[in-house]
Amino acid sequence: MLSVSNLSVQFGKRVLFDEVNVAFTQGNCYGIIGANGAGKSTFLRILSNQSEPTSGHVQLEPGKRMSILEQDHNAYDEFTVLETVVMGNKPLFAIKQEIDALYANYTDENADKIGELQVQFEEMNGWNADSDAATLLSNLGIAEELHYTTMAEMDSKLKVRVLLAQALFGNPDVLIMDEPTNDLDYDTIQWLENFLADYENTVIVVSHDRHFLDAVCTHIADIDFGKINLYSGNYTFWYESSQLAARQRAQQNKKAEEKAKELQEFIARFSANVAKSKQATSRKKMLSKLKVDDIKPSSRRYPAIIFEREREAGDQIVNINDLAASSEDGEILFEKVNINLAKQDKVALISKDSRATTAFYEILNGKRKARQGTYQWGITTTQSYLPVDNSEYFVEDINLVDWLRQWAKTEEEREEVYIRGFLGKMLFSGEEALKKCTVLSGGEKVRCMLSRMMMLRANVLLLDEPTNHLDLESITTFNNSLKNFKGTVIFTTHDHEFAQTVANRVIELTPKGNIDRYLTFDEYMSDKTIREQREKMYAVPV
């Protein structure tokens, strides 16, 4: 279907890809993974002919059509929503435009040409294009009354869904998506997971959402050491098997046949779990076909994220009474919020409006005034806050050692050796620790903020979209650290796996109060009674 031959990419002296050969076949979904900077997005741009490799070539099977999830959200502002979706099938849309142009200047001479084009249009199911596009939009939560609105008038989060519909429109033979779940809500992501699970063509996707990769991928394409290796199975299988292979490599005294047996037992066990899993799909390959030699250790580096508490909190964490907040233009974000947090609660704080959750965190951290209501922290609590926007922490042009020193509490903690130890845990070793904080990438800034939080040793953690900008390695480690943390956590995330494995309680903020349940995230989202309650509490009076 789509093949890459002898592909090399070099920027100056840096070699990103070296003689890569890989083939993507029909009926499979490939998750592209790799450390930050490994070249995931570059590879997708080369596959989609948006960038040229240094050498080698990409070959799409003749007669096949490729579709790409558009990253420029303003590229179609002059078109209606429906037109934008139909434009996803470029050959079809080109014929439609040509027919319209010929009709606009109709003559006897071009009548035959119109007839020929209409035959092609019919063969491509063109007469049903608008209705098919409308169905796709409705499935993605775009109301019918918005279908003829221009893209320029659309809310930015709805634009993402329209562009997703555009990529999916017309059943492309190869579908390429870079971070498709960004800015999508849980319901839309679930719809996309189900859609791709039944998709019969080729899908190539980059995502930091582990649940999404597990739900849709039949293969993982791992970028490592300038090469791309394909592995059967989803992300969790790749991660656990690579960790097992790394442990085995360290076991010098273990016999080869013992290692082979352990790997074979692992494959069999995982195959059984996949078959029973809710995420299992008809497209997933039987992992029992995998050869033991195919499993290799990864070169990935995982940060050491360990949250410790200076002291244990008492029973009273925070008491919130009748809290309310509004946007700058007076729109109600939430009101009548009443919450009493207990020790060791791990709360997934959610809302259909991300402004609501951010406002909640800012109020509890004294950075914003509530419209009404009160809150009171327990006298034994200490809080540490990871905001969704951390720019205010990286204004001063100082190196990372001096940056982290600002939160040291003792003379020992102010020592450079001590601080470098913290930074080293977050993969800022050697000269990296002397980088200026003003030149850091988004992911590096979040890792610095996590170093700060670890140094503060708070017993209550407040996390607003903590996985933003992080790579899969950091997200996995962060996820595990919160599962093991003995204190209280309140967090908001679009990472399904994060929410499901950390939270033991879900609190939802709505314009008509809050919903509060001691359930896992999946239990909360699948509960029919809660779903009906949610719809009522978000309903806007007519």
Side-chain angles (χ1 to χ4, degrees):
M1 179 70 76
L2 180 67
S3 61
V4 174
S5 303
N6 302 318
L7 182 79
S8 295
V9 176
Q10 187 169 347
F11 298 105
K13 294 183 178 180
R14 186 188 175 207
V15 177
L16 202 59
F17 297 109
D18 180 29
E19 294 292 313
V20 168
N21 292 280
V22 64
F24 303 101
T25 57
Q26 184 172 356
N28 291 321
C29 177
Y30 300 86
I32 310 292
I33 65 170
N36 277 353
K40 298 184 292 294
S41 294
T42 299
F43 184 64
L44 291 193
R45 287 197 298 271
I46 291 171
L47 289 182
S48 57
N49 203 31
Q50 295 173 318
S51 293
E52 291 291 329
T54 305
S55 61
H57 64 275
V58 175
Q59 179 68 44
L60 178 63
E61 188 179 330
K64 301 299 183 181
R65 185 172 70 86
M66 179 184 291
S67 183
I68 304 132
L69 178 60
E70 179 64 61
Q71 296 295 308
D72 182 359
H73 294 179
N74 302 317
Y76 301 90
D77 277 0
E78 62 188 285
F79 299 97
T80 68
V81 167
L82 202 64
E83 284 177 317
T84 300
V85 175
V86 176
M87 289 170 75
N89 189 338
K90 291 181 181 178
L92 175 69
F93 190 74
I95 291 176
K96 182 178 184 298
Q97 283 186 306
E98 191 173 354
I99 291 173
D100 290 344
L102 289 171
Y103 267 123
N105 298 284
Y106 185 82
T107 64
D108 292 339
E109 288 76 17
N110 61 27
D112 289 341
K113 180 63 175 175
I114 291 174
E116 293 172 8
L117 290 172
Q118 286 179 333
V119 170
Q120 294 180 47
F121 195 65
E122 184 172 2
E123 289 174 349
M124 299 171 74
N125 199 32
W127 304 118
N128 294 322
D130 284 358
S131 62
D132 289 346
T135 300
L136 199 52
L137 286 166
S138 297
N139 287 336
L140 286 166
I142 306 295
E144 189 175 347
E145 58 265 25
L146 297 174
H147 292 185
Y148 293 94
T149 303
T150 64
M151 287 288 282
E153 299 173 84
M154 293 290 285
D155 176 84
S156 59
K157 290 191 175 182
L158 292 181
K159 272 187 177 182
V160 174
R161 299 189 195 188
V162 176
L163 295 174
L164 180 58
Q166 181 193 69
L168 300 175
F169 179 73
N171 196 37
D173 300 291
V174 178
L175 178 60
I176 293 180
M177 300 186 291
D178 193 355
E179 297 292 354
T181 62
N182 282 3
D183 296 318
L184 298 182
D185 60 25
Y186 290 110
D187 292 333
T188 307
I189 293 172
Q190 187 174 43
W191 179 89
L192 180 60
E193 288 176 354
N194 293 334
F195 180 93
L196 294 178
D198 295 328
Y199 199 65
E200 296 180 351
N201 294 332
T202 304
V203 181
I204 303 171
V205 59
V206 168
S207 177
H208 286 91
D209 187 326
R210 295 160 298 161
H211 185 276
F212 180 77
L213 291 175
D214 279 350
V216 305
C217 289
T218 61
H219 294 76
I220 293 296
D222 180 32
I223 301 177
D224 211 357
F225 300 110
K227 301 291 186 181
I228 298 180
N229 295 305
L230 292 184
Y231 300 96
S232 296
N234 59 20
Y235 175 77
T236 295
F237 179 79
W238 171 86
Y239 170 74
E240 293 186 7
S241 61
S242 66
Q243 293 292 301
L244 176 58
R247 289 195 299 272
Q248 287 197 341
R249 185 173 60 177
Q251 296 168 339
Q252 300 294 334
N253 298 327
K254 202 166 191 178
K255 294 179 181 179
E257 55 268 26
E258 291 177 346
K259 292 182 180 181
K261 183 181 178 182
E262 186 180 14
L263 285 172
Q264 286 168 339
E265 289 174 350
F266 169 79
I267 292 168
R269 186 171 65 253
F270 199 94
S271 297
N273 289 339
V274 166
K276 296 173 184 175
S277 168
K278 290 180 181 178
Q279 281 73 45
T281 74
S282 59
R283 300 197 320 117
K284 283 203 167 68
K285 303 297 183 181
M286 288 301 295
L287 296 176
S288 56
K289 296 178 182 178
L290 189 65
K291 297 176 182 177
V292 170
D293 291 341
D294 291 339
I295 300 178
K296 296 179 176 63
S298 169
S299 68
R300 300 289 198 284
R301 297 170 64 208
Y302 290 81
I305 305 174
I306 304 171
F307 294 110
E308 296 177 340
R309 299 168 296 164
E310 195 161 27
R311 65 172 176 175
E312 184 177 351
D315 292 332
Q316 178 59 40
I317 302 300
V318 66
N319 189 30
I320 299 169
N321 293 301
D322 203 30
L323 203 66
S326 301
S327 64
E328 292 182 359
D329 58 5
E331 182 182 356
I332 296 174
L333 299 177
F334 60 81
E335 64 179 6
K336 301 176 184 176
V337 169
N338 294 281
I339 300 169
N340 189 23
L341 287 192
K343 188 164 56 174
Q344 296 188 3
D345 275 352
K346 293 183 178 178
V347 177
L349 183 75
I350 66 174
S351 176
K352 288 189 176 182
D353 190 338
S354 61
R355 296 176 301 170
T357 50
T358 294
F360 182 85
Y361 290 116
E362 290 176 345
I363 291 169
L364 261 59
N365 282 277
K367 295 180 175 293
R368 178 178 183 146
K369 287 187 177 181
R371 184 168 60 82
Q372 68 180 45
T374 62
Y375 67 92
Q376 184 173 3
W377 287 104
I379 58 173
T380 60
T381 63
T382 52
Q383 302 86 42
S384 184
Y385 172 43
L386 181 67
V388 67
D389 178 7
N390 57 35
S391 56
E392 66 177 276
Y393 291 88
F394 298 95
V395 175
E396 195 174 354
D397 192 27
I398 54 179
N399 65 44
L400 299 191
V401 172
D402 291 335
W403 182 88
L404 190 56
R405 187 179 280 125
Q406 297 174 90
W407 291 281
K409 298 178 181 178
T410 66
E411 285 301 319
E412 180 189 1
E413 291 178 354
R414 292 186 182 92
E415 293 291 333
E416 184 167 336
V417 173
Y418 185 91
I419 294 173
R420 277 181 173 269
F422 259 88
L423 291 171
K425 291 177 183 177
M426 300 306 294
L427 308 182
F428 296 108
S429 55
E431 292 299 312
E432 287 284 304
L434 298 178
K435 289 175 68 169
K436 297 291 186 181
C437 70
T438 51
V439 300
L440 298 178
S441 68
E444 288 173 328
K445 286 180 178 178
V446 175
R447 282 191 277 127
C448 280
M449 293 294 289
L450 293 177
S451 298
R452 168 184 173 273
M453 294 183 78
M454 287 191 289
M455 183 172 276
L456 291 174
R457 297 188 188 85
N459 50 34
V460 181
L461 306 180
L462 299 102
L463 312 166
D464 191 359
E465 294 292 352
T467 63
N468 281 5
H469 307 295
L470 292 179
D471 57 23
L472 281 166
E473 292 72 46
S474 298
I475 292 171
T476 301
T477 307
F478 195 0
N479 194 159
N480 291 335
S481 72
L482 291 183
K483 285 160 63 176
N484 296 327
F485 181 59
K486 301 301 182 184
T488 302
V489 183
I490 313 174
F491 69 97
T492 297
T493 181
H494 279 80
D495 188 302
H496 190 130
E497 186 76 7
F498 213 89
Q500 171 61 16
T501 58
V502 174
N504 56 22
R505 182 178 179 181
V506 180
I507 297 176
E508 183 161 9
L509 306 178
T510 84
K512 297 180 181 179
N514 65 283
I515 307 171
D516 188 351
R517 296 287 189 277
Y518 275 97
L519 296 171
T520 67
F521 180 75
D522 282 346
E523 289 169 342
Y524 182 90
M525 296 302 289
S526 61
D527 189 291
K528 183 179 179 181
T529 303
I530 294 175
R531 188 183 304 119
E532 292 172 351
Q533 184 181 1
R534 294 176 74 214
E535 290 175 359
K536 291 177 182 177
M537 295 184 78
Y538 283 108
V540 178
V542 178

